Amino acid sequence: MMLAYMDHATAAAAEPETMELGVVADAAECAAARDFGGLVSARPAAVVRPASADDVASAIQAAALTAHLTVAARGNGHSVAGQAMAEGGLVLDMRAVARRTQMQLVLLSGAAFADVPGGALWEEVLLWAVSNHGLAPASWTDYLRLTVGGTLSNGGVSGQSFRYGPQVSNVAELEVVTGDGQCRVCSPSAHPDLFFAVLGGLGQFGVITRARIPLSPAPQTVKWTRVVYSSFADYAADAEWLVTRPSERAFDYVEGFAFCRNDDPVNGWPSVPIPGGAHFEPSLLPAGSGPVLYCLEVALYQHHHQHPDDVDERVCEMLRPLKYVRGLEFAAEVGYVEFLSRVNRVEEEARRNGSWAAPHPWLNLFISSRDIAHFDRAVINGMLADGIDGPMLIYPMLKSKWDPNTSVALPEGEIFYLVALLRFCRPSGAGGPAVGELVEQNAAVVDACRRNGYDFKTYFPSYRAQSDWAAHFGSKWARFVDRKARYDPLAILAPGQKIFPRTPSAGARAIV
């Protein structure tokens, strides 16, 4: 039981609360010892299933009285390098809070907000808001089966980020349990330092138990288009032109990805057409096209008050000057919820073929526009020219849409690209490179960025040395350290990030 890992006085005092928390005793084989990445495992002492923010606070207070005990908040287990694990510590199952807490619509000064538990999935937020109120948040992630607290602790990006900002720029208020076991409500006007520290703070300063998310009328349908480029220079120029247009003349969503010039169903052009089954005609590609091609993906929302023809004309107007390969354009009109749920089909197929349960050595980078062409030549068209058995996302966003007060580390340039290498390892016995080789290749990509002097940052960073973390945060490191001392002085929270060692608790007994 969890009590075996506390000093005796604390155990006696905490026992009734411990029963209410729903402690899972034998954690050796529990899901909390693993994550989606499948690269590391860490056995917790116990898993706690809190029912409320008070339960979260009780668990953290108990850990503070026990030498070396740490606490990690776990959402849907989608981290890729053990970030939500706690070796020998307590793992908070934040999905348990979501199952016991109803979402609430809040109306303030004519504006609508959703109060949602930190352990709620964005998919759940979407369905609740649209179905019950005809409303929706503005900013999303591509994959919606992630928790609200999880994405707000990192950034939360997708094709809407260039226009509406990342998810950390789309939250009005947080309820947070800090590392001293105190539950606080914070916002840009109340305890603003804590509010901004937690956003993108990698779980280091507090556990998000509730978030207030702004809502606006949900679109009815989405005009969804993909176009193909053989030239990266043209692709990047067009993508940057689209994300810097005035909002009234912009798409609602701009993404893109690189793919191989072959018919491989995962790495090649079969991954491009929408809807499924549409034909990709390779003979339309210009002579001399290289081994890597690029797909620009855009979407424009249609609201109930808009005429479909007007929306179609806006799409055509924005596509007309682009330099994509004519004839290689694909379009579909889908419902808003269907569009946002598009990655679910990828998950379903991956579960069928076994790759969902295989390791996922993913690498996510933010790279400044000034260096993206060189990165494309050296990395995408170099070491990754044969594909990665998964998507290679590469699309721009704007730094001005991010609040500099948050803890997120970003490149210096105003325009920077998300580069997401989302590898899906083949199931055991299906061939393909070993996981270790892919991890080494990721390290080689990061080394190339450093060696070439790129203006870049890792997104979902994973380092083991504090010097690497200091380099990652750069000029923000001193503030990050100061916030840690202020909100989690014993370094109890988020030990899986490997940033700060646990400080011994005064008067606590060691685990025996």
Side-chain angles (χ1 to χ4, degrees), residues 478-495:
R479 186 182 68 179
F480 197 88
V481 172
D482 177 69
R483 285 171 164 175
K484 185 68 172 180
R486 187 178 310 147
Y487 301 119
D488 185 22
L490 298 180
I492 291 172
L493 299 177

Side-chain angles (χ1 to χ4, degrees), residues 351-414:
R351 288 187 183 278
R352 278 195 296 269
N353 64 33
S355 62
W356 193 260
H360 298 86
W362 286 7
L363 177 64
N364 292 268
L365 303 169
F366 289 148
I367 301 178
S368 177
S369 172
R370 79 172 197 202
D371 298 312
I372 198 65
H374 194 282
F375 179 88
D376 173 70
R377 290 192 298 272
V379 177
I380 300 294
N381 275 275
M383 61 182 75
L384 305 180
D386 293 329
I388 60 170
D389 284 341
M392 291 192 287
L393 305 185
I394 179 168
Y395 62 87
M397 55 189 72
L398 305 177
K399 189 174 183 178
S400 55
K401 296 293 185 177
W402 299 66
D403 194 309
N405 293 303
T406 69
S407 295
V408 183
L410 299 174
E412 294 298 324
E414 162 63 4

